[in-house]
Amino acid sequence: MRPTIRLLAGLTCALAVAANADTFYVNGSCGDDAWTGTSSVCSAPDGPKLTIQAGIDASVNGDTVMVADGVYMGVGNKNLDFGGRLITLRSEDGPAACIIDCENAGRGSYFHNGETADAVLDGFAIRNGFDVRVGGAILCESVSPTILNCVLVNNRASEGGGLYSSDGNPT
């Protein structure tokens, strides 16, 4: 009887965490990083964030950051850092419609703060990433994030122009 009770208690806790997950929105056309990001409707105070990093920074473990279609460039839209958060960063309509352009001055994403398979990057084209050492588009150091439905185009580095992983196991 006791093992069943423990199993149900664990299941209840897992469901409670999932039920509290939020979605944050990013829209490079009409967002504002001062807004909360809790709505996809472009109006204050709860409209979408302007930059992808601001959406990531607003999130906590279990949340989803949904990025509207568009080309994202400049500060806050490259060298993206999950900061150890176990979140899903997802594009609205996939890599053909949502592009991170690193402008040959940085990489798309840098995972290095203990991210596990529950840190998910899904549905982006990452182009024109550059680093003189490693990981032109994506760098993973001692982490194991999940990377899905991404297209890496024209990224350069001495090693791992597309993706470089050291002491980790990204999927």
Side-chain angles (χ1 to χ4, degrees):
M1 183 76 173
R2 241 184 221 285
T4 303
I5 292 170
R6 287 185 190 148
L7 175 62
L8 290 175
L11 181 60
T12 302
C13 290
L15 290 174
V17 170
N20 290 328
D22 289 317
T23 298
F24 291 89
Y25 298 90
V26 175
N27 189 317
S29 298
C30 66
D32 187 321
D33 284 345
W35 295 346
T36 67
T38 57
S39 172
S40 63
V41 177
C42 292
S43 64
D46 295 322
K49 298 288 190 179
L50 179 65
T51 63
I52 299 170
Q53 189 65 55
I56 293 169
D57 293 345
S59 70
V60 297
N61 289 348
D63 288 347
T64 297
V65 177
M66 183 66 66
V67 181
D69 295 346
V71 178
Y72 290 83
M73 302 169 25
V75 175
N77 291 312
K78 59 185 174 185
N79 299 312
L80 301 174
D81 189 340
F82 278 39
R85 292 173 187 82
L86 305 180
I87 61 170
T88 297
L89 176 62
R90 176 175 289 135
S91 72
E92 194 171 80
D93 289 311
C98 195
I99 300 163
I100 297 171
D101 188 335
C102 302
E103 306 171 278
N104 294 305
R107 62 176 59 93
S109 189
Y110 179 31
F111 294 97
H112 62 108
N113 285 306
E115 290 91 356
T116 68
D118 292 326
V120 179
L121 178 67
D122 184 7
F124 293 89
I126 301 174
R127 71 181 184 200
N128 302 322
F130 175 76
D131 189 86
V132 297
R133 295 181 325 101
V134 295
I138 300 171
L139 176 59
C140 300
E141 293 182 322
S142 302
V143 295
S144 300
T146 301
I147 301 165
L148 302 169
N149 307 311
C150 289
V151 177
L152 310 178
V153 180
N154 196 38
N155 298 285
R156 299 175 298 127
S158 292
E159 291 185 61
L163 183 143
Y164 186 87
S165 177
S166 171
D167 298 323
N169 191 21
T171 300

